Amino acid sequence: MSNITLNHAETADHSHDQEHDNHPHGFRRWLFATNHKDIGTLYLIFSLTMLMVGGVLALLIRAELFQPGLQFVQPEFFNQLTTMHGLIMVFGAIMPAFVGFANWMIPLQIGASDMAFARMNNFSFWLLPVAAILLVTSFWVPGGATAAGWTLYAPLSTQMGPGMDMAIFAIHIMGASSIMGAINIITTILNMRAPGMTLMKMPMFCWTWLITAYLLIAVMPVLAGAITMTLTDRHFGTSFFNAAGGGDPVMYQHIFWFFGHPEVYIMILPAFGMISQIIPTFARKPLFGYASMVYATSSIAILSFMVWAHHMFTTGMPVTGQLFFMYATMLIAVPTGVKVFNWVATMWQGAMTFETPMLFAVGFIFVFTIGGFTGLILAVTPIDVQMQDTYYVVAHFHYVLVAGSLFALFAGFYYWSPKWTGFMYKETRGKIHFWSSLFWFNVTFFPMHFLGLAGMPRRYADYPAQFTDFNMLASIGAFGFGLSQVYFIFFIVLPAYRGGKPADDKPWEGAEGLEWTVPSPAPFHTFEIPPTVK
């Protein structure tokens, strides 16, 4: 009898230990997280932190450019700022933020219990802080951070100090993280959908992320190849990019941009998916042209591999090559135009209300379209030859990446945070954040078009007096935009996680069922309530 009792006691202790292991508390909950929601939260916190770090570097750049002459920093340090701002924003802020949204929302939207590979999910996140520390601390190594620009062009990158090696290592680690995340997303979407959830019934966010994940797997190894060749040129006597040894520095550009152009779409396709779900909710209509949206997204992804050399019109390529890349680039405007048309058609005659997610979504369409048109202008070879490496290009890609990717991330946060936290943010504060962000963004970047047209080159710490007024305006706008994001953190994000007004089961009134944005009814298992509880 005593043995039986002892066995029961041991079993009870064992089950208690198991329960404790399955639900760790404190730092163990986050360090060993395998829950997709916790990992999604970690990604979002990391990306917000890196957004602030990259933002501080941007403000240092704009402070230096407030007026002609050297104010605060030396030219080499100025170039280090531009390089690190680009690398941190692309690999540290925008990409991890979208992966955070994917972790949070994809299992919920397809009715899966979690991501497919929970431990790999944990590992892919914890690689990022290590890489970020490596990247940021390169400022303090002898010779400082790399000043080769975020594209790390040879031959500059083959002659920089040890900061360049740290950047290469950091990018390798971030690339490995991205590939693991992409494998996880593809496996989850293809294998773990609830019964009845066919591919053509998936929410658009799942579709755009599925396509993005394939892009990631295709192009991250290409970047790894480019920076590995740079590393061997630097330390092991190879001459991949050294003309004196029979190499070619322009080959680096071909390899880099074969990664770099699909990378631009990696940073915008998930944004398209978010906007495609937010607009139907607040227009109270199903998404117009669901199937055409899926095909347009796929077309953009395929075409993105065929246009890389439009970044290289001034490298002396043959006219035939210039014509091909010019027309291929213009072709991408067609599926992108389909998307914009479908968003507008969804809003047409809808019962629209303008809560903060909808404001950011409409703002996204307006400002992203401007960025798209300037991209179309830069696709025209003779114009691009004049605009190459001027502030016109800077204005173009910030309209796409800030007003595009970042605005969509804000829209997604306001849209889904009630579901995440259980609390509503304060609507007035959200609207203040939107209008201040939109206003200061345009004050910052619209004048850069004129600077570029007037011939001001980018990555220069000093400039002639004729460029002063527009630079002053851009710098004032940058500080306004920066303060808007500080407001977002302290008055919206932190209060939302501390508590507030409890969110309803359906926080967006009148949107019942429409957050699926599919042409047919949502599948039986939405998992908003466990299937066993009726």
Side-chain angles (χ1 to χ4, degrees):
M1 183 69 182
S2 58
N3 285 345
I4 295 170
T5 310
L6 186 62
N7 288 343
H8 274 307
E10 281 176 357
T11 309
D13 282 347
H14 181 62
S15 63
H16 177 75
D17 288 345
Q18 269 191 326
E19 192 177 324
H20 184 72
D21 288 342
N22 290 340
H23 303 284
H25 299 288
F27 81 95
R28 285 171 56 86
R29 170 185 170 183
W30 302 103
L31 187 61
F32 303 117
T34 50
N35 176 299
H36 71 99
K37 297 176 182 179
D38 284 350
I39 293 172
T41 303
L42 285 169
Y43 268 107
L44 292 170
I45 292 169
F46 172 78
S47 67
L48 192 60
T49 307
M50 296 309 285
L51 183 75
M52 292 299 110
V53 174
V56 168
L57 301 185
L59 293 182
L60 287 171
I61 292 167
R62 288 313 321 170
E64 177 56 53
L65 293 173
F66 185 72
Q67 58 189 31
L70 296 177
Q71 271 59 245
F72 305 107
V73 298
Q74 291 305 304
E76 190 187 20
F77 185 68
F78 181 87
N79 285 346
Q80 291 172 11
L81 290 176
T82 59
T83 299
M84 299 302 283
H85 166 70
L87 288 173
I88 286 167
M89 288 304 202
V90 169
F91 295 106
I94 300 295
M95 289 173 68
F98 281 126
V99 178
F101 274 90
N103 265 291
W104 250 105
M105 296 312 302
I106 286 174
L108 296 179
Q109 290 188 334
I110 64 171
S113 56
D114 206 314
M115 297 295 281
F117 305 114
R119 291 181 189 277
M120 187 168 82
N121 208 7
N122 174 286
F123 185 48
S124 69
F125 170 75
W126 283 111
L127 286 175
L128 287 178
V130 175
I133 290 165
L134 203 59
L135 197 58
V136 174
T137 50
S138 65
F139 273 116
W140 289 276
V141 301
T146 175
W150 85 272
T151 53
L152 308 176
Y153 274 2
L156 269 178
S157 56
T158 57
Q159 296 159 6
M160 296 285 172
M164 182 69 207
D165 297 313
M166 292 175 76
I168 287 172
F169 192 28
I171 291 167
H172 266 306
I173 296 170
M174 287 171 166
S177 168
S178 292
I179 289 170
M180 283 193 281
I183 290 169
N184 216 344
I185 287 165
I186 290 170
T187 311
T188 304
I189 291 175
L190 294 186
N191 291 337
M192 297 178 67
R193 299 190 308 280
M197 173 66 80
T198 62
L199 284 175
M200 291 307 283
K201 287 183 179 178
M202 287 199 307
M204 275 306 300
F205 182 63
C206 297
W207 256 117
T208 52
W209 244 117
L210 179 64
I211 292 163
T212 302
Y214 278 112
L215 282 182
L216 273 168
I217 288 174
V219 302
M220 291 313 290
V222 178
L223 175 66
I227 57 179
T228 303
M229 284 188 266
T230 306
L231 194 70
T232 59
D233 273 13
R234 288 167 59 80
H235 298 295
F236 300 107
T238 58
S239 295
F240 290 112
F241 310 129
N242 179 8
D248 183 3
V250 176
M251 184 174 78
Y252 177 89
Q253 295 191 31
H254 278 290
I255 300 168
F256 179 86
W257 285 115
F258 191 78
F259 148 81
H261 201 77
E263 165 66 18
V264 174
Y265 292 98
I266 286 165
M267 290 189 282
I268 200 66
L269 290 182
F272 289 166
M274 287 183 189
I275 300 302
S276 299
Q277 290 195 234
I278 292 166
I279 283 175
T281 299
F282 294 97
R284 289 166 178 78
K285 282 172 62 187
L287 180 67
F288 181 92
Y290 172 89
S292 65
M293 282 295 221
V294 173
Y295 299 137
T297 309
S298 308
S299 308
I300 290 170
I302 293 162
L303 287 170
S304 73
F305 285 99
M306 303 181 193
V307 297
W308 75 91
H310 69 209
H311 298 268
M312 300 169 55
F313 282 146
T314 54
T315 56
M317 74 172 78
V319 173
T320 320
Q322 292 182 337
L323 280 172
F324 169 80
F325 286 108
M326 178 171 93
Y327 290 132
T329 304
M330 289 177 169
L331 199 58
I332 284 198
V334 176
T336 311
V338 168
K339 286 182 153 320
V340 174
F341 173 82
N342 284 2
W343 291 326
V344 174
T346 305
M347 290 188 281
W348 184 256
Q349 294 189 335
M352 287 198 291
T353 54
F354 291 95
E355 289 88 350
T356 311
M358 186 62 162
L359 286 175
F360 269 107
V362 176
F364 165 92
I365 294 173
F366 169 65
V367 197
F368 174 80
T369 304
I370 295 173
F373 275 124
T374 55
L376 206 52
I377 291 163
L378 287 169
V380 181
T381 308
I383 298 178
D384 186 77
V385 169
Q386 297 298 312
M387 296 293 105
Q388 174 79 20
D389 274 334
T390 68
Y391 265 80
Y392 193 90
V393 179
V394 177
H396 155 67
F397 70 70
H398 281 88
Y399 264 81
V400 172
L401 287 180
V402 181
S405 302
L406 192 63
F407 274 27
L409 286 164
F410 287 144
F413 170 81
Y414 285 110
Y415 183 54
W416 281 316
S417 67
K419 203 176 193 69
W420 298 345
T421 64
F423 300 107
M424 289 300 291
Y425 63 89
K426 287 190 167 56
E427 191 61 55
T428 308
R429 293 181 184 180
K431 286 177 175 169
I432 290 169
H433 176 225
F434 167 73
W435 287 111
S436 65
S437 293
L438 186 71
F439 175 76
W440 290 117
F441 168 80
N442 282 290
V443 170
T444 306
F445 293 105
F446 203 77
M448 291 184 188
H449 293 105
F450 305 125
L451 286 170
L453 288 166
M456 180 174 166
R458 63 178 179 168
R459 296 179 186 165
Y460 274 47
D462 194 6
Y463 54 85
Q466 76 227 41
F467 300 130
T468 306
D469 291 347
F470 281 137
N471 268 302
M472 280 187 166
L473 198 57
S475 291
I476 291 165
F479 279 89
F481 188 75
L483 286 172
S484 302
Q485 309 328 312
V486 172
Y487 176 87
F488 170 67
I489 290 172
F490 286 104
F491 291 93
I492 293 153
V493 176
L494 294 178
Y497 278 84
R498 278 206 301 266
K501 180 190 168 193
D504 298 329
D505 289 343
K506 295 278 183 185
W508 309 117
E509 186 188 350
E512 187 162 349
L514 277 181
E515 67 182 72
W516 291 93
T517 63
V518 291
S520 54
F524 178 70
H525 292 304
T526 63
F527 287 92
E528 286 183 351
I529 52 170
T532 51
V533 182
K534 293 295 176 193

